[in-house]
């Protein structure tokens, strides 16, 4: 099992307008065993998104990477299911995107017919959709337990992306939360935090090795924090060493 990479590792470049395809080409040049990459919807130019995703899909095929996509939206709003879901599922099917990640949003009040339609849409798409704990009031342990219980109650095929860093912004501990939610985790976002600031691994407060070593090998682990380009290979190797248990 090797660590995967979210394009957040290139955050400074992305904020400066560098396309994600260019960042991923640099990642490929590291020639490290990376099983998957996750791109971020907020950093696509809407006018160039289709052409860039086509290039990314081609690169992933060449590099033997699975492709994940982080959607910067909540899956559920006060009006119901996010309007973007159908379109994003079609996008995923077109560009061989294995998984879409949303935040959960508001615990919805949906009719049985709407829930049935959502269940069918998710099942028929063949695309994994996950929800993630957020660094806000929607992302407390108690709220995530309620949200995930609601998902199970309605038999919705939604996965759960456990973000190890976001807990610090809601005054929770990732180790405690992981102990309560471990059996529901389908994707793991790895980062280390110190004083509510993302830092390199082993420079923060997170017992990250203990967390990732409790995951089954079927759960992908993604680096998801800004890393200077000269340190990225070492951070990848550090996690891979921990995962080679």
């Amino acid at each position: 099992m090797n660590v995967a990479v979210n394009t957040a590792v290139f955050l400074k470049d992305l904020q400066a307008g560098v396309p994600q395809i260019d960042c991923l080409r640099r990642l490929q040049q590291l020639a490290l065993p990376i099983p998957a990459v996750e791109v971020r919807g907020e950093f696509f130019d809407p006018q160039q998104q289709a052409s860039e995703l086509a290039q990314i899909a081609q690169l992933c095929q060449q590099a033997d990477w699975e492709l994940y996509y982080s959607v910067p939206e909540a899956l559920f709003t006060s009006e119901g299911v996010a309007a973007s879901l159908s379109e994003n599922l079609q996008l995923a099917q077109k560009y061989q995107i294995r998984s879409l990640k949303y935040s959960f949003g508001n615990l919805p009040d949906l009719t049985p017919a709407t829930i049935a339609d959502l269940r069918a849409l998710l099942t028929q798409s063949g695309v994994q959709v996950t929800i993630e704990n957020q660094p806000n009031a929607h992302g407390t342990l108690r709220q995530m337990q309620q949200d995930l219980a609601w998902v199970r109650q309605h038999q919705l095929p939604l996965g759960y992306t456990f973000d190890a860093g976001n807990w610090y912004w809601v005054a929770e501990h990732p180790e405690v939360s992981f102990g309560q939610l471990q059996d529901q985790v389908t994707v793991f976002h790895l980062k280390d935090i110190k004083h509510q600031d993302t830092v390199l691994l082993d420079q923060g407060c997170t017992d990250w090795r203990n967390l990732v070593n409790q995951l089954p090998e079927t759960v992908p682990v993604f680096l998801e924090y800004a890393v200077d380009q000269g340190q990225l290979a070492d951070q990848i190797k550090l996690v891979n060493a921990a995962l080679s248990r």
Side-chain angles (χ1 to χ4, degrees):
M1 180 178 180
N2 292 304
V3 71
V5 176
N6 182 292
T7 55
V9 300
F10 301 105
L11 184 59
K12 293 180 181 179
D13 289 330
L14 299 180
Q15 291 174 333
V18 176
Q20 293 181 82
I21 179 63
D22 292 348
C23 296
L24 291 174
R25 285 170 177 151
R26 294 207 308 266
L27 182 64
Q28 185 187 28
Q29 291 171 2
L30 294 179
L32 292 172
I34 296 167
V37 294
E38 185 172 33
V39 294
R40 306 183 67 89
E42 67 267 32
F43 289 111
F44 284 111
D45 179 340
Q47 303 301 319
Q48 303 296 325
Q49 182 186 39
S51 61
E52 187 173 355
L53 275 173
Q55 294 177 72
I56 289 172
Q58 183 178 28
L59 178 63
C60 287
Q61 187 175 26
Q62 294 170 353
D64 196 23
W65 294 337
E66 289 189 326
L67 180 56
Y68 288 59
Y69 188 108
S70 174
V71 181
E73 297 178 39
L75 184 58
F76 299 106
T77 71
S78 58
E79 298 178 355
V81 182
S84 68
L85 179 59
S86 294
E87 181 180 348
N88 282 330
L89 288 172
Q90 293 174 14
L91 194 76
Q93 291 169 330
K94 182 175 182 179
Y95 296 110
Q96 297 83 55
I97 296 169
R98 183 181 186 277
S99 182
L100 300 172
K101 179 193 71 65
Y102 280 80
S103 61
F104 188 88
N106 298 303
L107 192 63
D109 182 15
L110 304 179
T111 67
T114 299
I115 292 173
D117 288 344
L118 175 59
R119 186 186 304 116
L121 177 65
L122 293 169
T123 302
Q124 293 168 9
S125 73
V127 178
Q128 179 192 59
V129 178
T130 73
I131 55 173
E132 179 186 43
N133 55 285
Q134 294 294 291
N136 54 41
H138 294 295
T140 65
L141 174 58
R142 181 177 179 181
Q143 189 61 56
M144 289 307 301
Q145 288 174 315
Q146 291 178 356
D147 293 344
L148 291 169
W150 181 88
V151 168
R152 292 195 305 274
Q153 175 189 349
H154 294 289
Q155 299 179 328
L156 292 172
L158 291 170
Y160 169 45
T161 294
F162 183 97
D163 189 294
N166 287 347
W167 300 104
Y168 291 93
W169 276 263
V170 293
E172 307 255 17
H173 296 285
E175 294 83 4
V176 173
S177 299
F178 184 82
Q180 297 296 313
L181 302 171
Q182 178 180 357
D183 63 337
Q184 299 176 74
V185 177
T186 52
V187 178
F188 190 96
H189 278 179
L190 175 60
K191 59 188 71 160
D192 204 351
I193 306 295
K194 185 176 183 179
H195 303 312
Q196 290 194 348
D197 188 25
T198 305
V199 295
L200 295 178
L201 296 176
D202 291 335
Q203 294 183 9
C205 302
T206 308
D207 186 5
W208 64 271
R209 287 182 179 82
N210 181 47
L211 295 180
V212 300
N213 282 328
Q214 294 181 65
L215 293 169
E217 292 192 359
T218 54
V219 174
V221 177
F222 284 86
L223 290 185
E224 199 206 20
Y225 53 93
V227 185
D228 289 339
Q229 187 171 348
Q231 298 172 303
L232 180 56
D234 288 341
Q235 290 285 282
I236 292 172
K237 292 175 183 177
L238 181 67
V239 183
N240 283 347
L243 291 173
S244 62
R245 54 190 189 276

